[in-house]
């Protein structure tokens, strides 16, 4: 096998190598990023303010909407991290994987392409297609709660342009945000139109990624136009990011096969008066990738077989298109505020995966040599949501909120597994291994209430409840193939779910607040795929979380410290399983997740901010998953897809990051900000242990037992740097992601011949290779 690592090195531009080295030396003294702004009411310096705007995460002096009312983050009894829009720009964060490791408790797996991401929080792993981490865009949810839209595989991964901030809420958010937010919530808050100030912006940049033959490029434009002074304004933006490919194809020799592009377009119209405001916003985001950012590893050593290369017989394009429309009305009624939030979204996702090495050998059933095969998912989702809520005025001893929520989802899931002879010619009598359509509907209605009472200056008690009902319909339409019986089957389900939360809060003194929180969350159940050995309906997955936290500030707010400890008891876990090659779901028993999270910020001198984020998590299965029984003549096959004491998939025990930002006034209206960060992620497993027993029924005898343990993905660290020079109008930035070009992996799976059972190679998605870029922005 020819090793292409030498070829890659030869294609690297000498000038770029020199820039890499010089930038790393220049910025090595500035480890950088997560910083917290000053506590409200505390004295700050201009240097502190600018440094805070440059940090990757923010923990204080920030308004958040976690409780669906505007509050200071330091006064909210919940674990929240905020990522600001300016911070995301400094790090050139174009996808979730660029910043996830800087948020304690947030875990992310990526298949190397924006939008192909699985997100989990606090050890609540993505073990089934249903969402465990909710996503909101301003006041409305985005993404399906159905079991048939692969929500955990394709989490909303917005290209964060025109985003004001991202609020990361850790722990169950079931009472206020409902289904699918059992692990936590990602809340993207966009920039609103400004009715008083006109603004224009234009910018762009270039980047160079290790192993790529071409440069990556991007550009962006935006404007804010007051149409009627202090009454009506329009905000419009557009951004495009052309992603350079860096994976080569070992099959046909093609270079850089994983090129792609991201685009984001948004328009928002805001009308406001003294008592009423209304905003109508339209957003379209697209991701279009030619192939996955996955490489081939030796199945024994897990070393790259040929550098950044993979075996691709059939291209693996990925397309995701999101159209989102939202109308939000805020009405000041005097005694309370009324909010109506309406949304309509249309999501289209298509992904193809090469199955040649997995299912291609099925041609042997027809006396032919191994052929080519692929699997294509086409997912379409139309979603309408409506929320009405009434919120009391803030600052009163008793603060309350009541509301109602409605969601209607109409989804299609088409799956096809075409197979041909190796030269592409058809196989007589067989065109596909399977052709399956799964149309589904999900309708949910909920009522909720939340309140808190401040008994005195040091004690406050909060509580919340939510009652939800969902009804679902599902059809399984098999039109061709040999994997499933041809025909149509239908199924449906309905369920009622009650969630609650209780939050006592103690203000020990001006600088220290303690809180405790007990809360529940759920992942909806639903009708299952119809196949022998699988249950017809999957129950809701429920959890109860117990949390204790402290938010504190010392030494005139030069030291800010947040600590959180939690235990989560998870029941009726929904687990993806396979019976005779058919994927379905089962409820898989119980698990426990325990952990500690810490975030600290130090400001030793004006303009310099040092940050530390860390999370320890122990998430394990408490009992063997229920066995799936498959009849096999005089015997039966018993399959357990998870065993007691298994670690939760893709959940590291320990993660941490060390960061720093340094703001330097340069004079003449110019300033500089230097920063960077080191992030470390512990080892993980790619799944749970599978045990398969073949048992003779009469007399009862174990004929065979096989144990398949998950793969272990090694721990890694990555080092990021940036520098920015700004004045009133101009900003020039340079950044370096993964400065030492660590070859670490986000996901890992064996590619196994389904006829012989032999592993050909291990497919792994590396973290972003070393990438250097330069950006320029002009505002006027």
């Amino acid at each position: 096998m020819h090793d292409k690592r030498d070829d890659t090195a030869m294609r690297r531009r000498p000038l770029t190598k020199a820039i890499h080295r010089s930038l790393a030396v220049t910025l090595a003294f500035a480890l950088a990023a997560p910083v917290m702004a000053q506590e409200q009411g505390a004295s700050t310096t201009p240097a502190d303010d600018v440094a805070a705007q440059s940090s990757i995460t923010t923990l204080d002096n920030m308004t958040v909407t976690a409780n669906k009312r505007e509050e200071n983050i330091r006064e909210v009894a919940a674990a929240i991290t905020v990522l600001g829009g300016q911070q995301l720009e400094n790090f050139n964060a174009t996808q979730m994987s660029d910043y996830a490791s800087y948020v304690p408790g947030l875990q992310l797996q990526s298949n190397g392409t924006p939008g192909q991401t699985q997100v989990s929080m606090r050890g609540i792993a993505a073990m089934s297609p249903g969402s465990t981490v909710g996503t909101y865009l301003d006041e409305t949810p985005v993404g399906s709660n159905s079991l048939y839209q692969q929500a955990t595989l394709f989490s909303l991964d917005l290209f964060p342009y025109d985003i004001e901030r991202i609020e990361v809420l850790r722990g169950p958010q079931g009472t206020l945000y409902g289904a699918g937010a059992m692990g936590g919530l990602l809340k993207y808050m966009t920039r609103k139109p400004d009715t008083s100030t006109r603004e224009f912006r234009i910018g762009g940049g270039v980047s160079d990624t290790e192993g790529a033959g071409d440069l990556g490029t991007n550009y962006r434009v935006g404007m804010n136009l007051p149409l009627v002074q202090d009454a009506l304004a329009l905000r419009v933006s557009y951004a495009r990011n052309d992603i350079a490919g860096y994976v080569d194809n070992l099959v046909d020799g093609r270079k850089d096969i994983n090129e792609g592009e991201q685009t984001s377009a948004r328009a928002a119209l805001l009308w406001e008066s003294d008592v009423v405001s209304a905003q109508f916003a339209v957003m379209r985001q697209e991701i279009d990738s030619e192939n996955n950012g996955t490489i081939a590893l030796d199945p024994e050593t897990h070393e790259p077989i040929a550098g950044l290369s993979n075996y691709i017989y059939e291209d693996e394009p990925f397309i995701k298109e999101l159209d989102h429309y939202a109308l939000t009305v805020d009405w000041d009624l005097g005694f309370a505020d009324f909010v109506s939030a309406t949304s309509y979204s249309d999501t289209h996702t298509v992904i193809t995966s090469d199955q040649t090495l997995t299912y291609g050998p099925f041609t042997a059933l027809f006396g032919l040599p191994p052929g080519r095969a692929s699997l294509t998912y086409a997912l379409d989702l139309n979603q309408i949501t409506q929320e009405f809520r009434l919120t009391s005025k803030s600052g009163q001893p008793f603060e309350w909120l009541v509301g109602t929520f409605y969601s209607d989802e109409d989804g299609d899931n088409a799956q096809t597994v075409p197979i041909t002879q190796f030269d592409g010619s058809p196989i007589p009598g067989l065109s596909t291994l399977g052709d399956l359509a799964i149309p589904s509907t999900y309708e949910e209605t909920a009522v909720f209430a939340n309140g808190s009472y401040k008994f005195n200056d040091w004690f406050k008690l909060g509580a919340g409840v939510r009652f939800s009902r969902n009804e679902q319909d599902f059809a399984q339409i098999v039109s061709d193939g040999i994997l499933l019986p041809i025909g149509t089957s239908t199924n449906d389900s309905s369920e009622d779910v009650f969630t609650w939360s209780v939050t006592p809060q103690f203000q020990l003194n001006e600088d220290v607040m303690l809180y405790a929180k007990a809360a529940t969350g759920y992942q909806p159940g639903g009708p299952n795929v119809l196949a022998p050995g699988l249950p017809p309906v999957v129950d809701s997955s429920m959890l109860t979380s117990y949390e204790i936290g402290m938010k504190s500030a010392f030494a005139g707010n030069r030291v800010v410290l947040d600590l959180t400890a939690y235990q989560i008891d998870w029941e009726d876990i929904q687990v993806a399983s396979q019976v005779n090659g058919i994927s379905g779901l089962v409820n898989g028993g119980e698990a426990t997740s325990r952990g500690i999270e810490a975030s600290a910020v130090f400001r030793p001198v004006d303009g310099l901010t040092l940050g530390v984020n860390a999370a320890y998590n122990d998430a394990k299965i408490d009992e063997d998953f229920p066995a799936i029984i498959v009849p096999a003549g005089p015997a039966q096959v018993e399959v357990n897809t998870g065993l007691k004491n298994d670690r939760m998939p893709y959940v590291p025990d320990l993660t941490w990051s060390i960061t720093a930002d340094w703001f330097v006034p340069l004079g003449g209206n110019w300033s500089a900000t230097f920063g960077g960060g080191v992030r470390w992620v512990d080892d993980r497993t790619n799944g749970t242990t599978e045990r398969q027993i073949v048992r003779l029924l009469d007399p009862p005898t174990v004929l065979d037992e096989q144990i398949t343990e998950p793969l272990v993905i090694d721990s890694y660290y990555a080092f990021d740097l940036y520098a920015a020079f700004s004045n009133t109008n101009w900003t020039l930035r340079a950044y370096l992601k993964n400065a030492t070009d660590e070859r670490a992996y986000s996901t890992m799976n064996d590619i196994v011949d389904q006829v012989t059972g032999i592993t050909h190679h291990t497919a792994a998605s590396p973290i972003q290779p070393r990438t250097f870029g330069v950006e320029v922005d002009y505002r006027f």
Side-chain angles (χ1 to χ4, degrees):
M1 181 68 63
H2 177 61
D3 190 333
K4 290 184 171 56
R5 284 174 287 186
D6 294 337
D7 294 350
T8 300
M10 292 175 64
R11 293 186 351 247
R12 171 62 45 214
R13 288 168 289 279
L15 177 60
T16 306
K17 274 189 172 180
I19 294 174
H20 286 172
R21 288 194 292 266
S22 64
L23 182 66
V25 171
T26 302
L27 302 183
F29 63 88
L31 295 177
V35 26
M36 314 166 191
Q38 295 289 337
E39 190 84 36
Q40 283 187 344
S43 60
T44 63
T45 66
D48 288 324
D49 292 337
V50 177
Q53 294 174 9
S54 303
S55 64
I56 188 64
T57 61
T58 303
L59 299 179
D60 61 343
N61 197 32
M62 171 68 72
T63 297
V64 296
T65 58
N67 290 328
K68 297 202 171 183
R69 64 167 72 236
E70 293 187 349
E71 299 173 284
N72 187 325
I73 191 174
R74 306 303 298 166
E75 299 173 359
V76 178
I80 307 172
T81 300
V82 175
L83 302 107
Q86 184 61 53
Q87 295 96 307
L88 296 172
E89 287 185 13
N90 284 340
F91 272 75
N92 193 53
T94 59
Q95 54 185 307
M96 205 181 303
S97 59
D98 289 330
Y99 57 78
S101 297
Y102 289 107
V103 179
L106 175 62
Q107 295 89 37
L108 180 140
Q109 302 89 250
S110 171
N111 283 336
T113 301
Q116 292 193 61
T117 52
Q118 298 181 55
V119 182
S120 60
M121 290 191 195
R122 291 187 169 178
I124 307 304
M127 301 187 70
S128 72
S131 176
T132 60
V133 175
T135 304
Y136 261 62
L137 183 58
D138 293 322
E139 294 286 350
T140 58
V142 181
S144 176
N145 286 308
S146 164
L147 297 175
Y148 297 102
Q149 284 294 308
Q150 302 292 335
T152 53
L153 293 179
F154 309 117
S155 300
L156 180 66
D157 195 354
L158 286 183
F159 183 22
Y161 182 67
D162 221 20
I163 298 294
E164 183 177 279
R165 66 183 185 276
I166 303 173
E167 299 179 13
V168 183
L169 285 60
R170 303 190 295 280
Q173 308 296 322
T175 56
L176 285 178
Y177 295 96
M182 61 190 298
L185 184 79
L186 294 171
K187 196 170 187 180
Y188 293 84
M189 303 299 293
T190 59
R191 291 187 174 97
K192 293 183 177 181
D194 187 335
T195 60
S196 61
T197 304
R198 185 173 62 177
E199 178 188 346
F200 297 91
R201 173 186 177 182
I202 185 170
V206 295
S207 62
D208 178 55
T209 299
E210 188 70 25
D214 296 317
L215 294 174
T217 60
N218 66 82
Y219 64 88
R220 50 199 171 265
V221 294
M223 67 176 181
N224 183 85
L225 293 175
L227 303 178
V228 178
Q229 190 69 20
D230 297 325
L232 185 66
L234 174 67
R235 188 177 189 92
V236 179
S237 64
Y238 177 83
R240 176 181 171 119
N241 180 36
D242 291 321
I243 306 169
Y246 50 82
V247 175
D248 298 335
N249 193 349
L250 291 169
V251 175
D252 58 18
R254 287 181 296 153
K255 309 293 185 182
D256 306 331
I257 62 173
N258 63 319
E259 293 180 337
E261 64 184 44
Q262 299 167 275
T263 59
S264 173
R266 178 175 179 264
L269 184 67
L270 174 67
W271 173 78
E272 58 185 8
S273 68
D274 292 339
V275 295
V276 179
S277 69
Q279 176 179 280
F280 178 69
V282 180
M283 172 181 281
R284 179 175 176 84
Q285 296 228 342
E286 296 180 5
I287 301 169
D288 188 348
S289 175
E290 295 182 7
N291 270 287
N292 296 324
T294 305
I295 68 173
L297 308 182
D298 182 281
E300 297 295 331
T301 66
H302 286 172
E303 292 295 322
I305 290 176
L308 295 171
S309 300
N310 197 13
Y311 297 96
I312 298 297
Y313 295 86
E314 300 286 339
D315 281 337
E316 301 181 313
F318 173 71
I319 298 172
K320 189 177 183 72
E321 300 170 345
L322 168 66
D323 293 298
H324 186 268
Y325 307 84
L327 174 64
T328 304
V329 178
D330 291 90
W331 185 9
D332 185 349
L333 300 177
F335 75 99
D337 294 314
F338 172 78
V339 175
S340 170
T342 310
S343 76
Y344 170 78
S345 61
D346 184 353
T347 308
H348 175 66
T349 307
V350 178
I351 180 172
T352 298
S353 60
D354 183 13
Q355 299 292 322
T356 296
L357 296 173
T358 302
Y359 291 110
F362 269 59
T363 53
L365 300 176
F366 296 83
L368 298 171
R372 293 174 179 258
S374 61
L375 168 62
T376 297
Y377 279 96
L379 305 170
D380 288 285
L381 173 67
N382 295 317
Q383 182 182 37
I384 298 173
T385 71
Q386 176 64 59
E387 179 170 304
F388 297 113
R389 68 176 184 268
L390 196 63
T391 308
S392 68
K393 296 295 185 181
S394 299
Q396 306 298 316
F398 178 50
E399 296 179 341
W400 51 266
L401 177 153
V402 293
T404 182
F405 174 81
Y406 173 78
S407 177
D408 185 9
E409 300 179 19
D410 188 357
D412 287 311
N413 179 335
Q415 305 173 31
T416 181
V417 188
I419 187 169
T420 66
Q421 297 188 56
F422 196 81
D423 62 2
S425 59
I427 299 172
L430 180 67
S431 61
T432 179
L433 291 175
D435 197 341
L436 171 67
I438 307 177
S440 63
T441 64
Y442 177 96
E443 186 174 16
E444 178 187 352
T445 304
V447 292
F448 57 93
N450 195 67
S452 64
Y453 187 79
K454 188 173 184 180
F455 291 86
N456 48 46
D457 290 341
W458 62 273
F459 179 60
K460 183 178 181 179
L461 179 64
V465 293
R466 187 184 188 101
F467 177 80
S468 305
R469 177 175 179 82
N470 71 72
E471 297 181 347
Q472 302 182 55
D473 289 302
F474 151 86
Q476 177 180 300
I477 305 170
V478 183
S479 56
D480 197 1
I482 61 175
L483 295 179
L484 281 171
I486 305 298
T488 299
S489 303
T490 60
N491 203 356
D492 59 66
S493 70
S494 62
E495 62 179 352
D496 299 330
V497 182
F498 178 75
T499 54
W500 54 267
S501 66
V502 178
T503 312
Q505 182 175 336
F506 306 89
Q507 193 71 41
L508 300 187
N509 55 49
E510 184 179 354
D511 298 324
V512 180
M513 185 263 279
L514 297 179
Y515 71 90
K517 185 174 184 179
T520 59
Y522 79 103
Q523 178 187 40
N528 204 3
V529 170
L530 298 174
L534 292 174
V537 175
V538 181
D539 295 331
S540 286
S541 179
M542 303 288 297
L543 61 75
T544 304
S545 172
Y546 307 94
E547 177 179 338
I548 299 175
M550 179 187 73
K551 296 186 177 185
S552 58
F554 308 98
N557 288 322
R558 288 192 177 273
V559 179
V560 182
L561 175 64
D562 285 8
L563 294 174
T564 308
Y566 60 86
Q567 174 169 315
I568 300 174
D569 298 324
W570 192 3
E571 299 178 345
D572 290 331
I573 303 170
Q574 295 173 7
V575 182
S577 183
Q578 278 197 350
V579 177
N580 293 332
I582 308 304
S583 296
L585 293 175
V586 297
N587 288 107
E590 301 178 354
T592 301
S593 178
R594 301 181 180 92
I596 299 174
E597 298 164 348
S599 296
V601 165
F602 309 92
R603 301 184 180 95
V605 296
D606 291 346
L608 177 62
T609 302
L610 307 176
V612 177
N613 287 316
Y616 172 78
N617 179 267
D618 180 21
K620 292 182 178 179
I621 296 171
D622 293 337
E623 59 187 15
D624 292 355
F625 289 164
I628 300 171
I629 308 298
V630 183
Q636 67 181 21
V637 181
E638 304 168 6
V639 181
N640 296 97
T641 56
L643 302 182
K644 183 178 180 179
N645 292 323
D646 276 353
R647 295 168 61 185
M648 280 294 175
Y650 289 108
V651 176
D653 287 346
L654 180 65
T655 59
W656 55 261
S657 63
I658 302 174
T659 63
D661 293 281
W662 184 31
F663 171 76
V664 183
L666 299 178
N669 201 30
W670 282 88
S671 63
T673 305
F674 303 96
V678 178
R679 44 195 166 99
W680 190 84
V681 178
D682 211 345
D683 61 21
R684 296 132 286 143
T685 60
N686 79 328
T688 51
T689 304
E690 180 176 296
R691 179 175 62 202
Q692 180 172 296
I693 298 175
V694 180
R695 190 186 306 273
L696 184 67
L697 298 178
D698 188 19
T701 307
V702 175
L703 301 178
D704 185 44
E705 180 176 357
Q706 295 182 0
I707 301 292
T708 304
E709 296 185 349
L711 301 178
V712 176
I713 305 173
D714 289 340
S715 59
Y716 71 88
Y717 80 93
F719 184 30
D720 306 313
L721 297 167
Y722 78 87
F725 300 87
S726 306
N727 64 10
T728 304
N729 301 110
W730 289 95
T731 298
L732 175 66
R733 293 188 304 276
Y735 62 88
L736 191 57
K737 301 179 186 179
N738 190 7
T740 55
D741 197 31
E742 293 299 309
R743 194 65 69 240
Y745 303 102
S746 178
T747 62
M748 189 178 290
N749 291 287
D750 283 338
I751 304 301
V752 181
D753 185 324
Q754 294 299 303
V755 174
T756 66
I758 297 174
T759 300
H760 182 272
H761 68 276
T762 298
S765 299
I767 64 172
Q768 178 81 15
R770 178 172 54 217
T771 300
F772 167 71
V774 177
E775 303 283 322
V776 62
D777 279 284
Y778 179 63
R779 288 180 171 85
F780 57 98

